[in-house]
Amino acid sequence: MISSIALCVLCAAVLACLMVGSLHLRLNLFLFGIETLFIAGATALTANAHGDASLFLIAAFIAALKALAVPIFLLRTSEKLNVHRDVGAMITPPLAMHLSIVLLALSFFLTRSIPSPEMIDGGWYGAAAGISLLFTGLVIMLTRRLAIGQILGFLVIENGIYVFALTQTLGMPMLVEMGVLLDMLVGVMICGLLVFKIQKSFEHIDVAQLRDLKE
Amino acid sequence: MSEFDNHLLTNCSRWILFISTVIVLPVLCLGLIRKTKARLQNRIGPPLYQPLFDVLKLLRKGETLSSTMSGVFRLSTVVVVTTTLILAWLTPWLSFKPWSPHADLFFIVYLFALSRVFSLLGSLDSGSAFGAFGASREVTLGLLVEPALMLGLVALGLYCGSSDLKVIFSYPHQLGSHSNELAFVAGTAGVWTLVGISIFLSSLIELSRMPVDDPTTHLELTMVHEAMILEASGRNLALIEFAHALRMSIYFGLAAQCFVHAAAAVWHISALSQAVLNVIGICAIAVFVGVLESLAVKLQWRKVPEFVAYVVSMSLLAAFLVAGSGAVKL
């Protein structure tokens, strides 16, 4: 059985895989926004299914903060720093995309053996999408050299954890969700400031070069 | 009029329609691409039927043959044209074919490869250095694109439970007969769309169009397909050009069929409107290619494998979607 909730989170997982394939920051941020909108949609559908009003609020917050504010903030940061393209690390983006697609399939086979709560419709697909988002975030963090790419990978991992929690439980308490969202927002802001500082003191934001000591 | 006569009449009209499509559609595709490019460059551009006049003009012209040529050169043109015509007959690129024969997808992919091999032989036989250049690049492209195309078609085959393209492309999407409507619609539309994209992108590589090769280039060093037919002239060139245009409309037709099937999974589409949508789809793809060629720049040669990798990932996604949607028990 597959529900519209599961369909939404699967679309998010596929969009994350597409994100891996491009090094253009603008396209990446755009895809991240759409992906998060799908997750907000899944949250709203879950709220509808369980009749939980507070989840609607969380969906609205996710759409406003994670899908709009964070990408716009990161976009402005990248424009101020005058970086538009990552250089890429380890493997080329299309091959990384293959890797993440294979990991998407792998997470499907992994989650088949995880017992899913009976009362949740399509929880199995949700778990697969969550784990795949986690893997994809890792792939993004591994294949990016710029700090902004690292932040994006981290955000995708966060999305994965949220999707897993959303589809495996009947929704967390609103207070917890709000706290997590706020933490995430503040985390991204701090990361953005850090990127500025790194740029200022090292004149680049290439994390691969941060290993070398500088006088 | 008896039953038999009536049957004969419909059959004949279908054949006439099919044959005229095989002649008109390639011309229209090429014309549309050129017209779109011209309009985007603020030119009026040649009329849509100009490619037909070009071919007719070439047919009247004399031929110059290099002294190193053997019979292989002649043979290659004949084989290329014949295989393309056979492909036009076998491949389900049109919804309205008089008689759709059974055609295995592996057979089709290797018929395409056969025509490629013979155009290679022709260019090698001509003895020009540029021809050999083009041949070497064409082989590289062919090697790269074959797994992508094959994987996409095999995903479709697994989804429909047959390797016969006739069965695959006449696969009925019966709405309402499944226990889980949403999963069926999403899975079917997803698989067909992904495979459609993958066939379209691999057609750009197979036909040496823009992101991989510039078909209007004048610099022999950067040519792929054009370098291979440099030595052809007169009727030979006319036949090669026609075969290439027909190949193009077959590829675009296959992609358009995939998109039509994706749409048929979501909405109910009658057979007639499917046929109309098919032709509109081919024209739309041609216009899209024109726009793409005006906007995109040619990729560096060493970046081409990356472009192919994107095509492969589309096919991979389709294959995993098929595996995940439960059509195949892994």
Side-chain angles (χ1 to χ4, degrees):
Chain A
M1 282 295 274
I2 180 167
S3 59
S4 42
I5 303 168
L7 204 63
C8 268
V9 288
L10 282 180
C11 280
V14 169
L15 277 172
C17 287
L18 293 184
M19 248 172 90
V20 180
S22 167
L23 289 177
H24 289 278
L25 283 179
R26 190 188 290 256
L27 182 63
N28 268 332
L29 288 168
F30 177 72
L31 283 176
F32 175 76
I34 305 279
E35 175 203 321
T36 315
L37 271 185
F38 267 110
I39 291 171
T43 314
L45 284 170
T46 314
N48 196 24
H50 297 168
D52 190 349
S54 62
L55 265 180
F56 273 120
L57 205 61
I58 291 172
F61 269 108
I62 289 176
L65 289 182
K66 232 199 273 182
L68 278 177
V70 167
I72 289 173
F73 173 72
L74 286 178
L75 192 66
R76 281 185 56 195
T77 313
S78 71
E79 267 165 11
K80 269 186 199 160
L81 295 175
N82 207 16
V83 282
H84 303 285
R85 223 182 116 84
D86 207 301
V87 265
M90 303 236 296
I91 44 176
T92 54
L95 289 182
M97 197 170 166
H98 287 187
L99 183 64
S100 61
I101 291 171
V102 170
L103 287 173
L104 176 72
L106 188 72
S107 56
F108 261 81
F109 295 115
L110 278 179
T111 42
R112 256 186 207 188
S113 49
I114 294 179
S116 174
E118 284 295 315
M119 67 283 186
I120 297 163
D121 192 25
W124 179 78
Y125 286 98
I131 290 178
S132 137
L133 276 171
L134 220 92
F135 279 140
T136 311
L138 277 177
V139 171
I140 291 178
M141 286 186 86
L142 281 175
T143 55
R144 300 299 143 101
R145 279 177 71 168
L146 294 191
I148 294 179
Q150 303 282 326
I151 299 172
L152 259 178
F154 185 74
L155 285 173
V156 172
I157 291 180
E158 203 269 338
N159 266 350
I161 294 170
Y162 174 76
V163 164
F164 192 84
L166 178 79
T167 50
Q168 298 309 299
T169 62
L170 289 170
M172 276 182 285
M174 190 172 126
L175 210 60
V176 177
E177 291 283 9
M178 290 305 220
V180 169
L181 263 178
L182 194 68
D183 279 355
M184 196 258 335
L185 190 67
V186 172
V188 169
M189 293 284 181
I190 293 173
C191 283
L193 287 179
L194 265 178
V195 170
F196 268 118
K197 289 282 173 197
I198 295 171
Q199 166 89 350
K200 228 177 178 177
S201 39
F202 294 93
E203 284 162 1
H204 63 76
I205 49 170
D206 186 343
V207 288
Q209 291 180 34
L210 290 184
R211 291 195 205 102
D212 308 330
L213 283 174
K214 202 182 172 198
E215 293 190 22
Chain B
M1 200 188 282
S2 72
E3 181 93 354
F4 178 75
D5 279 348
N6 210 346
H7 184 70
L8 196 69
L9 202 65
T10 22
N11 227 351
C12 275
S13 60
R14 279 180 160 202
W15 271 107
I16 291 168
L17 185 64
F18 177 62
I19 290 169
S20 51
T21 318
V22 165
I23 295 168
V24 169
L25 213 51
V27 173
L28 195 64
C29 271
L30 216 54
L32 271 172
I33 291 178
R34 287 181 189 166
K35 191 83 178 171
T36 319
K37 282 175 84 169
R39 296 309 303 209
L40 282 172
Q41 292 162 0
N42 274 335
R43 289 186 289 123
I44 295 188
L48 283 180
Y49 41 84
Q50 185 63 40
L52 185 65
F53 288 162
D54 288 349
V55 167
L56 290 179
K57 179 189 74 185
L58 284 171
L59 280 177
R60 284 201 307 272
K61 286 208 165 183
E63 201 174 9
T64 318
L65 288 175
S66 138
S67 55
T68 59
M69 279 175 190
S70 62
V72 178
F73 185 73
R74 280 256 179 274
L75 183 71
S76 75
T77 312
V78 173
V79 174
V80 168
V81 174
T82 323
T83 31
T84 316
L85 283 175
I86 293 173
L87 276 168
W89 175 55
L90 286 179
T91 320
W93 59 294
L94 289 171
S95 295
F96 47 89
K97 288 175 70 184
W99 175 46
S100 45
H102 290 280
D104 198 82
L105 64 93
F106 297 100
F107 180 58
I108 293 292
V109 170
Y110 285 104
L111 264 187
F112 276 118
L114 181 73
S115 90
R116 189 188 304 130
V117 164
F118 269 89
S119 59
L120 285 174
L121 286 181
S123 73
L124 287 175
D125 191 48
S126 65
S128 102
F130 291 129
F133 259 17
S136 125
R137 288 179 186 156
E138 178 89 0
V139 169
T140 317
L141 288 182
L143 267 178
L144 288 171
V145 82
E146 203 173 89
L149 187 65
M150 190 72 102
L151 192 60
L153 286 177
V154 166
L156 273 187
L158 283 177
Y159 192 69
C160 304
S162 165
S163 73
D164 188 350
L165 279 182
K166 181 193 177 186
V167 180
I168 292 172
F169 279 89
S170 59
Y171 185 68
H173 306 295
Q174 284 151 345
L175 294 171
S177 61
H178 289 262
S179 57
N180 196 341
E181 195 79 348
L182 183 68
F184 175 74
V185 169
T188 314
V191 169
W192 281 104
T193 315
L194 284 172
V195 175
I197 294 173
S198 134
I199 290 178
F200 167 67
L201 290 178
S202 51
S203 80
L204 291 183
I205 304 163
E206 283 260 352
L207 304 164
S208 352
R209 294 217 75 94
M210 193 50 179
V212 177
D213 173 30
D214 188 355
T216 54
T217 181
H218 294 292
L219 180 64
E220 287 89 346
L221 285 173
T222 62
M223 292 174 172
V224 181
H225 175 74
E226 304 300 310
M228 286 171 64
I229 57 171
L230 272 180
E231 296 296 311
S233 55
R235 286 175 200 166
N236 243 326
L237 186 59
L239 285 177
I240 292 175
E241 291 280 3
F242 175 71
H244 194 252
L246 185 56
R247 242 168 104 92
M248 178 162 76
S249 43
I250 292 172
Y251 266 110
F252 290 176
L254 270 180
Q257 277 279 9
C258 287
F259 294 132
V260 168
H261 275 270
V266 183
W267 303 285
H268 182 75
I269 299 175
S270 70
L272 179 67
S273 42
Q274 266 193 28
V276 174
L277 273 179
N278 187 13
V279 174
I280 293 176
I282 295 175
C283 296
I285 288 176
V287 171
F288 181 69
V289 168
V291 175
L292 195 73
E293 291 193 359
S294 323
L295 296 179
V297 284
K298 188 169 172 276
L299 286 174
Q300 279 176 8
W301 182 249
R302 59 188 181 83
K303 293 269 182 192
V304 167
E306 287 192 13
F307 181 72
V308 179
Y310 287 118
V311 187
V312 174
S313 55
M314 288 296 137
S315 301
L316 260 183
L317 259 181
F320 284 136
L321 193 57
V322 170
S325 70
V328 191
K329 300 281 173 285
L330 283 178

